[in-house]
Every structure is written in structure tokens, then in C-alpha cells.
Amino acid sequence: MGHDHPPIPLDSVDFTVHRPREFERRFGHVLDYMARVELEVDRNVLEITTMLPDPPEVDRHFYADVWQPQEIQHGLILDKLQVELGRSPAAPDTDSIGAKLRILGTMAHLPSFQDVCRMLYYLTGMATERSAVVAYNLLHQGTTEMGEDAVATTIIGQIKRQEPGHYAFYQLSARALWDELTGWQRWMVRLMRRISFSPVGANDAAQKADFGDVMATLGIADAASDFAEQISRVERELLWARRRGLRVPDYVTTALREAVDLAKARAHLPHLHR
């Protein structure tokens, strides 16, 4: 996978923007959010190695040789684009690991519990990458509509072609592992997923509001339920198949609506802007 899709070469990218002010005004904050999330992959790898002290070799190869190099390059390219537009560079958190995750990592040394952690890793990866696929497709559409073809083709277009491969890895891994879990492990996955879910890159109230702004700009805020269904379809199928008629896990919908509400509230309270 990594050899077929190496990190995007910087010399293949054209940063030409014909209407920089309009483009920055419309999409600048989206670029900043996406750049930050992509650049935080180094911290994500620290989190993964804490959660999974003894991962299967296929997982280690994926996150170390494929996912991390590709995502870092995505972040560097998006960040360079926003700086070219006159914005400040992204400020990613690349090295902090929360206490809850450290506790989880301690428990993960038990083989049966590490499988629970692996399942949570795959579920988070699926939701993250599906969110990225949707967001990059919509950003590509909006950039094309503005006539910014260089950015659409050489930046967003190249990035969005790499994200589905990441999603496919997590989906296949999740399906295979779920079939191997015992009843108590499945119960634990459901419980921990319910209490830990959050939108990608949204680790506090300000970042949740930022995510809500991104949703609004990309036209997702008014269709949060549809977006929630897209990013959690396989998760619902695996974890909640016994609940007939459930379109979306309630914790996913609640988290997305909270992000939209926080963004709206912040828009009316300027002093809350970072």
C-alpha cells in the first residue's frame, strides 16, 4: 500500500491561488483545522503505541510505513498553503498523552484487553478517515467552484485519493477482529466507544467549535444526521446490529450536534474566539 501510494512529492504541488483573499476568507479556517489534524499524526502514533504495546505486524507496518508518512505530508502541504494565504501556521499538539490513555495502555498489556483497545483503534480510524473522505470531497468541490484549479487538482485532489485506502484498512481490520471478540470484550468495546467518541481533532470545547465551523463551511452542519450516518455505518453494523432500526449511534449524533451548537454560540460571543 505504501509503495503504491508514497507521500505526495512537494514538487508535484502548485500553490497558485488566483483570488487569495476570497479563498482565505472562505476556506482558511478549514485548511488550518485539517492541517493541524494531519500534523498531529506524530502524537497519534504515540497514542497508538501506548494503547497497543504489542500490535500485529500488519498494524505496525500500516501506521508507521503508510499512514504516518502520508498524513504528515498532507499536513505540511495544507499548512504551507494557508501560510501562502497569509495565515499563521497550524499549532499541532504532537506529544501530549492524556492520563486516561496511559491507564488504558497499562491495561492493554493483558492480551484480552489489548484486543478491546485494537477494536477501539480501528473504530476511531474508520470514523476519522471517513470524515476525511467526506471533508476533502466537499473541499475539492468548493475549491473547484471557485476556479482555483491548481489547489483543487494538485493539493486537495491528490490528498483525497489517499484517504480511502486508510479507511479500507481500518474497515477490514475491524470486521475481522470483531468476529474474534468474546461477549465481554464486545460489551467493553460498546461501553468505551460510547463514552470516548469525539469528532476527529476535537479534544476540547474550542476545538469542537472549530469542527462545527468546518462542518458549516462544508455544508455538513445542516445535515449532521446524514454525516453521522456516513461516518458510523460500519460501526453501527458491527456494534449495534441487534438494535433494529438504529441508523446512527446516538453518541455520534450528539457529538456532532454539540460541535455545531458550540460554533453557533461562539459566533455570538466574539470573546470566546481563540
Side-chain angles (χ1 to χ4, degrees), residues 209-226:
D210 291 342
F211 189 85
D213 284 335
V214 170
M215 290 176 66
T217 296
L218 297 179
I220 301 171
D222 294 330
S225 294
D226 291 338

Side-chain angles (χ1 to χ4, degrees), residues 22-143:
E22 292 88 340
F23 189 72
E24 188 279 329
R25 188 162 52 244
R26 181 175 176 185
F27 291 122
H29 68 102
V30 177
L31 296 174
D32 180 63
Y33 195 92
M34 290 179 163
R36 176 180 65 78
V37 170
E38 301 277 23
L39 290 171
E40 286 181 343
V41 68
D42 285 341
R43 190 192 78 217
N44 298 152
V45 170
L46 285 176
E47 293 172 342
I48 293 167
T49 55
T50 300
M51 264 178 83
L52 306 176
D54 187 28
E57 185 54 38
V58 65
D59 285 18
R60 195 191 313 273
H61 167 68
F62 171 73
Y63 69 69
D65 300 332
V66 179
W67 179 67
Q68 185 179 25
Q70 288 182 355
E71 300 284 83
I72 285 290
Q73 193 68 355
H74 295 173
L76 292 172
I77 290 169
L78 292 172
D79 204 33
K80 180 171 173 57
L81 175 59
Q82 74 160 343
V83 170
E84 292 277 328
L85 294 171
R87 296 177 59 86
S88 299
D93 175 359
T94 59
D95 55 16
S96 66
I97 298 178
K100 290 180 182 178
L101 197 59
R102 293 185 188 278
I103 294 171
L104 199 62
T106 301
M107 298 173 69
H109 284 279
L110 301 170
S112 59
F113 198 81
Q114 182 166 200
D115 284 343
V116 171
C117 293
R118 279 178 61 207
M119 193 68 205
L120 291 168
Y121 160 57
Y122 296 146
L123 292 170
T124 299
M126 274 199 300
T128 296
E129 298 300 340
R130 188 60 193 161
S131 297
V133 169
V134 172
Y136 281 121
N137 282 338
L138 292 170
L139 181 58
H140 183 266
Q141 178 182 324
T143 305

Side-chain angles (χ1 to χ4, degrees), residues 253-270:
T253 306
T254 298
L256 295 180
R257 287 178 177 162
E258 179 190 15
V260 172
D261 290 343
L262 284 169
K264 289 179 179 178
R266 187 172 65 180
H268 293 94
L269 297 169

